[in-house]
Amino acid sequence: MQPRPHKPVTMYVCGVTPYDSGHMGHAFTFSIFDVLARFLESGGMPVKYAQNITDVDDPLFERARRDGIDWRELADRETKVHIRDMTVLGWRPPDVMPRVSDEIPRILAAASRLKASRHAYKTDALYFDTSSYRGYGRLSHRTRRSMIRKLREEELLGKVGPDAKRDALDFPLWRRSSPDEPSWPSKFGEGKPGWHIECSVMAMRYLGPQIDIHGGGRDLLFSHHESERAQSEALTGKAPFARAWVHTGMVRYNGRKMSKSLGNLIKVSQALQRAPAAAVRLYLVSHRYARDWDFEWEGLARAARLVERMRKFLADDARTRRRPVAPGRGLMAEFNAALADDLDTPRAVRALRAALRQRDAPAVRAMKDILIGSASLT
Ligand SMILES: [Zn+2]
């Protein structure tokens, strides 16, 4: 990325839907973007980082209904769990964490503008007209058939017809709420926003019409990010909406993607019962960001041994050292080259091991600050 003088690098990362406390998949994504923010800032590029809380979302309402609690209460409780987990894992908190429920007037304003510019039409809901945007599908490199297949798999396909959407790929910007869901008044009828428009509006409000880095888990690439890009560029007339899209891989457990529906989630709190926060964090970031990988307890144990060596070494060093020394140039150059090479964090972790072997305390500290942040070594 080329720095632009006097302007921070703007980074928007799709955050959690707060209905089930954070698992390793979430922690992986947010730890990776934390390394990215810290690495850019260590190189003199300030970062403005926004991460949203999707507190208006169907799965959240479903969970609230199932558990018989108010959706706001559930969202508040689980947002706190997310922030607590990531604080323990040592993140540099995002500069803004907007909640969808606070952004409804701006979401409606954006929906109205899309309607006025004929990118949206109203039938039983207000839909974005994907045929009005050239290149829908290009971000995720999908054909029309594969997009439709994915929508069907995720139960997002919906109906096509005179009283519904005109085309299978169109998606709602504003729709009716079920009786026990929240709804807001609007000129399109009482209702709630569609998922994609939420992120477009928050990204643009806090970071501007064009952003540098847009991130999230790879499961968001289609349809969420594809749709976000289309409606954002339709809204502003400016392309690209995001200069770089960065997607993190999926974390598996016992060979399958961790997911609520399979019941194989490893929660951050479970991992923290077995290892210090720094070890959990180091284990996460010792995987290449774009790849899928398998969570293994033995891998976490290995990271814990490395963290323990580092803790002892730094404690000894603090006791015996008389005056500060600069980190070894070669070690830091290798570490920075690794992260500059498409954020190769496994290689950066190897550089950290080398710094430990060479007993270079300043280099160990500098690398630790970026890879592990403020996570505790004990
Ligand atoms: Zn999003």
Side-chain angles (χ1 to χ4, degrees), residues 14 199 224 228:
C14 287
C199 278
H224 188 46
E228 238 189 85

Side-chain angles (χ1 to χ4, degrees), residues 187-205:
K187 64 178 171 187
F188 310 115
E190 284 254 326
K192 61 184 179 177
W195 174 27
H196 314 309
I197 188 78
E198 301 176 344
C199 278
S200 288
V201 165
M202 290 183 282
M204 289 194 269
R205 178 177 185 203

Side-chain angles (χ1 to χ4, degrees), residues 155-192:
E155 296 175 24
L156 292 171
L157 192 54
K159 263 197 331 220
V160 176
D163 301 323
K165 55 184 176 178
R166 288 181 198 153
D167 185 275
L169 295 181
D170 295 351
F171 53 85
L173 299 169
W174 189 264
R175 62 213 158 115
R176 264 198 294 271
S177 306
S178 306
D180 53 354
E181 290 177 353
S183 72
W184 290 267
S186 89
K187 64 178 171 187
F188 310 115
E190 284 254 326
K192 61 184 179 177

